[in-house]
Amino acid sequence: MASPSWGLFFILSLSLLLSPANSRPCSSAKFSNNNLYSHCSDLPYLSASLHSTFDSSNSSLSVAFVADHSNAAGWIAWAVNPTSTGMAGSQALVAYLDAGVPVVKTYDVASYGSVKPSELSFEVWDVVGEFSGGELIIFAKLKVPVGDTTLNQVWQVGPSVDGTRLGVHEFKPENLNAKGTLSLSGGESTSTASSGGEIDPRMIRKNIHGVLNAVSWGLLFPIGIVIARYLRVFPSADPAWFYLHISCQISAYAIGVAGWGTGMKLGSESEGYQVLDHRNIGIALFSMATLQMFALFLRPKKDHKYRVYWNIYHHSIGYSILILGIINVFKGFHILSPDHKWKFAYVVTIIVVGAIALVLELVTWIVVINRKSINKST
């Protein structure tokens, strides 16, 4: 009768030993500087916690923000937003490791795209960083407006730091919902995440940018190339294939220009960080697609002596757009981190288009070889 109890005890003990450090309740945390806080709260997202003590005599708040730092190249941030509940307008304390040494800097998040080092709008002192047990800690004291009983807080983690430029954090639900209200009297944090609550306008523009570019560079351009490559082999499809091809590519270009414009707007707003590879490929795609539009007006007749050079120019740029467009769509998926179903739907669509192209490739080769055999015998 005793063996099952001992077995259960062993399993529970083993699970406790194997559980990660950041799963411990914040009440069990001890700091090397022996700082003690009146209240602590395990924050609901990003494996973080906040320890705080409010001193009403001088209206100051002492905090220790603790977050998982398994990515040694990344950053963590805790911020107070004096004007709103989201990230825009927040005043942030950002910590990261510089040659293994914790560094804490202050950032003004003026908007969703402007994140830059700056003095904060309120007084802050005793700012120190600490790295211990795979966790990065921000210690600070800050002045709270007299009479305030709550603060709007925001916290976040990111992948990298380049100088003072912070790498773009992910856009998963846990990142977008990492905000809440901190009660100064009780230290309890409540999340402001909601279904259908505050809408991030910049996130809406990013989604629009992603949809436009996925449809144009990632779908319509490949379909237009498939039409031109395979339908023109059949004399009965001439000139219908040409008008289908032109219609598809012009539509793709128009939608792509709209997507490129929204991307440039988003880039101009992102003073604190940039996604260089995605941006540079987008500029290259827009430039090459514009050249393709000029190719429509510069197209020589079939029997013109320069037609062969035009074909080389037109085809090489077209296939470059095909490859770079699909690559950049997947880079966009990586940046936005949308629901898995959207990436899966795009992958399935591209596989279907690729399978159709493969079948048509075999068919057209058979047609061309048979046609050559008939002409040779004739």
Side-chain angles (χ1 to χ4, degrees):
M1 293 296 292
S3 57
S5 300
W6 280 107
L8 180 60
F9 174 78
F10 174 77
I11 293 172
L12 290 174
S13 301
L14 184 62
S15 64
L16 290 173
L17 289 172
L18 294 178
S19 60
N22 56 24
S23 67
R24 294 175 300 164
C26 64
S27 57
S28 65
K30 295 185 183 299
F31 303 113
S32 61
N33 55 13
N34 295 321
N35 280 11
L36 297 176
Y37 297 90
S38 303
H39 312 284
C40 75
S41 175
D42 290 307
L43 300 175
Y45 302 102
L46 301 177
S47 301
S49 62
L50 183 73
H51 305 252
S52 64
T53 299
F54 179 62
D55 186 352
S56 58
S57 64
N58 62 359
S59 193
S60 66
L61 180 69
S62 301
V63 297
F65 174 69
V66 184
D68 175 68
H69 197 63
S70 53
N71 176 16
W75 53 267
I76 69 167
W78 181 80
V80 171
N81 194 328
T83 59
S84 182
T85 59
M87 182 179 75
S90 61
Q91 307 291 292
L93 296 167
V94 179
Y96 54 88
L97 295 179
D98 185 2
V101 179
V103 175
V104 182
K105 293 187 179 296
T106 56
Y107 280 73
D108 176 19
V109 188
S111 68
Y112 286 98
S114 177
V115 182
K116 48 191 175 184
S118 172
E119 295 293 329
L120 302 186
S121 62
F122 47 80
E123 186 181 356
V124 61
W125 66 96
D126 290 350
V127 179
V128 180
E130 181 179 301
F131 181 65
S132 175
E135 294 176 327
L136 198 52
I137 308 169
I138 299 175
F139 297 100
K141 294 180 180 179
L142 53 108
K143 197 72 172 177
V144 177
V146 177
D148 282 6
T149 58
T150 60
L151 292 177
N152 297 320
Q153 65 171 342
V154 186
W155 63 97
Q156 195 56 258
V157 297
S160 61
V161 180
D162 182 9
T164 59
R165 177 178 293 171
L166 306 180
V168 184
H169 65 74
E170 294 184 329
F171 293 90
K172 296 178 179 178
E174 62 176 345
N175 297 90
L176 300 178
N177 294 329
K179 52 188 177 181
T181 302
L182 175 67
S183 172
L184 299 179
S185 59
E188 293 299 321
S189 174
T190 58
S191 174
T192 59
S194 62
S195 55
E198 179 185 357
I199 299 176
D200 181 350
R202 192 165 185 271
M203 193 64 199
I204 294 175
R205 293 199 297 273
K206 285 185 176 183
N207 289 334
I208 293 173
H209 167 73
V211 170
L212 290 175
N213 287 291
V215 170
S216 59
W217 313 115
L219 189 59
L220 285 180
F221 263 109
I223 291 175
I225 290 175
V226 169
I227 291 172
R229 178 170 176 81
Y230 301 114
L231 294 188
R232 66 178 180 178
V233 174
F234 305 96
S236 59
D238 195 14
W241 72 265
F242 176 75
Y243 294 114
L244 284 173
H245 171 67
I246 291 299
S247 299
C248 193
Q249 303 304 71
I250 290 178
S251 299
Y253 179 72
I255 297 172
V257 167
W260 179 79
T262 58
M264 295 301 292
K265 174 64 175 174
L266 288 167
S268 66
E269 294 174 348
S270 302
E271 298 180 21
Y273 48 76
Q274 293 180 345
V275 188
L276 295 178
D277 290 345
H278 186 66
R279 184 196 66 176
N280 293 337
I281 293 176
I283 293 173
L285 284 170
F286 170 75
S287 303
M288 290 189 292
T290 302
L291 286 176
Q292 288 291 66
M293 294 302 106
F294 282 114
L296 176 63
F297 302 102
L298 301 175
R299 181 171 174 259
K301 294 182 179 180
K302 292 182 179 180
D303 56 352
H304 196 281
K305 63 179 181 179
Y306 293 124
R307 179 58 181 258
V308 63
Y309 302 110
W310 182 90
N311 285 340
I312 294 172
Y313 146 78
H314 184 63
H315 295 165
S316 58
I317 293 181
Y319 288 120
S320 298
I321 292 174
L322 170 69
I323 296 170
L324 290 178
I326 294 175
I327 290 175
N328 222 28
V329 168
F330 281 103
K331 285 185 174 291
F333 278 128
H334 177 71
I335 295 168
L336 283 177
S337 299
D339 289 343
H340 178 72
K341 62 182 179 181
W342 299 112
K343 185 175 181 180
F344 178 76
Y346 178 73
V347 170
V348 170
T349 303
I350 285 298
I351 289 175
V352 170
V353 173
I356 292 173
L358 182 60
V359 172
L360 290 175
E361 184 78 20
L362 295 173
V363 171
T364 51
W365 271 107
I366 293 172
V367 170
V368 170
I369 291 173
N370 289 340
R371 189 178 297 164
K372 286 183 177 181
S373 300
I374 293 172
N375 291 338
K376 185 176 180 181
S377 61
T378 303

